[in-house]
């Protein structure tokens, strides 16, 4: 089992969220508002994603008796999808807290007669959701989250592998660090292109009923009503900001992951060893 990838994935995720959180909040409200919990949860979910992905790749190679041959594109796609599904159980609670905190619209600019913010911070938000909605409340929007992240991470890792292979000329030589960052940025944009429609639905379900009566009866009703009321273009309304955020974030994520994994890994170099050179 590859433990190193869990560790380097965690650190990479933490570095990525510090780069991307201001741009993420542009979609809603408040730079760095509610950042402490996402920093923790993204670090954890990134650990799960990269660790699951790497170990799935190894398991699939062992299953076909080819430990020292490269993984196929299909294996990379499936391993990425598995990582996306696995992290949902960890991601969902932190994600709904992040969305709730970001979407609090009260501010001093709105006048003294406005109600005080409902949540005083991430821990209070988490406890309030459990108290008012039960544990199930922490997983509101989990289905669109899974439907977002499974294909997104499949596309993410496949794009990274494909771009890396293209830049290395189809060989197994190590990429310059600029190549790793470019491949990571492109992979992030590709992943968000696939995931943005479900991200819209997820956010609406997570906020439904928080500041008024519930509008949606469930996942399918939310999809249908959103499309009926605002048209199909609404599902890609945040694509621009998502891609703007994804490129620098995933440049940092993959660079950090590859460098740290190469530093921590102790076994002999193989075809799947981190492919980054810093000189």
């Amino acid at each position: 089992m590859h433990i190193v990838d869990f560790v380097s994935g965690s650190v990479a995720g933490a570095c990525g969220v510090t780069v991307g959180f201001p741009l993420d909040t542009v979609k809603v409200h408040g730079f760095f508002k509610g950042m402490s919990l996402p920093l923790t949860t993204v670090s954890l979910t990134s650990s799960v994603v990269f660790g699951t992905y790497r170990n799935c790749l190894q398991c699939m190679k062992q299953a076909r008796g080819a430990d020292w041959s490269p993984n196929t594109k299909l294996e990379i796609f499936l391993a990425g999808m598995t990582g996306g599904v696995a992290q949902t159980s960890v991601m969902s609670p932190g994600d709904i807290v992040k969305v709730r905190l970001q979407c609090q619209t009260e501010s001093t600019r709105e006048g003294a007669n406005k109600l005080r913010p409902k949540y005083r911070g991430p821990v209070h938000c988490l406890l309030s959701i459990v108290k008012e909605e039960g544990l199930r409340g922490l997983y509101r929007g989990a289905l669109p989250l899974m439907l977002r992240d499974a294909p997104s991470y499949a596309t993410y890792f496949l794009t990274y592998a494909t771009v890396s292979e293209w830049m290395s000329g189809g060989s197994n030589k190590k990429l310059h660090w600029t190549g790793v960052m470019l491949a990571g940025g492109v992979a992030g944009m590709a992943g968000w292109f696939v995931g943005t429609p479900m991200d819209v639905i997820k956010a609406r379900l997570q906020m439904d009923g928080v500041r008024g009566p519930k509008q949606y009866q469930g996942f399918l009703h939310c999809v249908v009503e959103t499309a009926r009321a605002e048209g199909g273009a609404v599902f890609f309304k945040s694509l621009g900001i998502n891609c703007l955020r994804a490129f620098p974030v995933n440049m940092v994520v993959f660079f950090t992951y590859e460098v740290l994994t190469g530093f921590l890994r102790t076994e002999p170099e193989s075809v799947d060893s981190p492919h980054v050179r810093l000189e």
Side-chain angles (χ1 to χ4, degrees):
M1 184 175 183
H2 296 273
I3 302 297
V4 165
D5 296 85
F6 287 97
V7 176
S8 52
S10 177
V11 176
C15 293
V17 78
T18 58
V19 172
F21 199 82
L23 285 173
D24 189 38
T25 58
V26 167
K27 296 187 294 183
V28 276
H29 303 286
F31 269 24
F32 294 106
K33 188 173 186 179
M35 184 178 175
S36 57
L37 190 61
L39 184 62
T40 303
T41 56
V42 171
S43 178
L44 182 57
T45 56
S46 183
S47 171
V48 173
V49 168
F50 278 93
T52 301
Y53 168 74
R54 181 68 177 82
N55 282 281
C56 281
L57 287 180
Q58 185 63 30
C59 288
M60 285 188 279
K61 285 202 303 183
Q62 290 176 346
R64 60 184 172 89
D67 282 3
W68 288 88
S69 66
N71 283 102
T72 66
K73 294 295 191 294
L74 178 59
E75 288 174 343
I76 292 171
F77 185 87
L78 293 176
M81 183 175 289
T82 303
V85 172
Q87 60 90 50
T88 303
S89 61
V90 180
M91 180 71 169
S92 188
D95 191 63
I96 193 170
V97 169
K98 181 193 76 170
V99 170
R100 294 280 179 92
L101 289 175
Q102 287 177 337
C103 287
Q104 288 192 138
T105 57
E106 295 83 4
S107 71
T108 55
R109 293 177 302 174
E110 294 179 327
N113 292 328
K114 292 295 290 184
L115 294 173
R116 295 178 61 188
K118 181 177 181 179
Y119 306 118
R120 298 192 297 268
V123 175
H124 180 252
C125 181
L126 185 72
L127 295 176
S128 296
I129 292 172
V130 173
K131 180 180 179 180
E132 297 170 6
E133 306 172 42
L135 290 175
R136 290 183 60 184
L138 296 176
Y139 290 90
R140 179 187 289 190
L143 177 58
L145 180 63
M146 186 179 296
L147 293 177
R148 182 195 76 177
D149 287 349
S152 291
Y153 276 109
T155 304
Y156 178 69
F157 284 110
L158 180 60
T159 301
Y160 179 73
T162 302
V163 174
S164 296
E165 182 181 17
W166 174 73
M167 287 193 295
S168 67
S171 67
N172 193 43
K173 67 180 182 181
K174 293 181 180 294
L175 289 178
H176 190 264
W177 64 269
T178 55
V180 170
M181 295 183 78
L182 177 61
V186 173
M189 294 177 68
W192 271 110
F193 181 82
V194 173
T196 292
M198 283 298 106
D199 189 57
V200 172
I201 298 300
K202 173 191 70 68
R204 294 190 176 207
L205 287 173
Q206 288 174 330
M207 287 304 299
D208 189 29
V210 175
R211 291 296 179 188
K214 288 178 63 68
Q215 301 180 48
Y216 309 116
Q217 299 171 11
F219 170 69
L220 290 178
H221 184 250
C222 182
V223 173
V224 172
E225 284 299 303
T226 299
R228 182 189 63 80
E230 302 175 57
V234 71
F235 295 112
F236 292 95
K237 186 176 181 180
S238 59
L239 179 60
I241 189 65
N242 283 343
C243 288
L244 179 65
R245 171 184 177 274
F247 193 86
V249 166
N250 290 285
M251 286 173 59
V252 172
V253 166
F254 269 106
F255 175 75
T256 305
Y257 169 76
E258 294 282 18
V259 170
L260 191 56
T261 301
F263 177 76
L264 295 176
R265 187 165 289 167
T266 57
E267 66 263 28
E269 192 169 285
S270 70
V271 294
D272 289 322
S273 295
H275 46 286
V276 57
R277 56 186 178 87
L278 301 178
E279 67 273 10

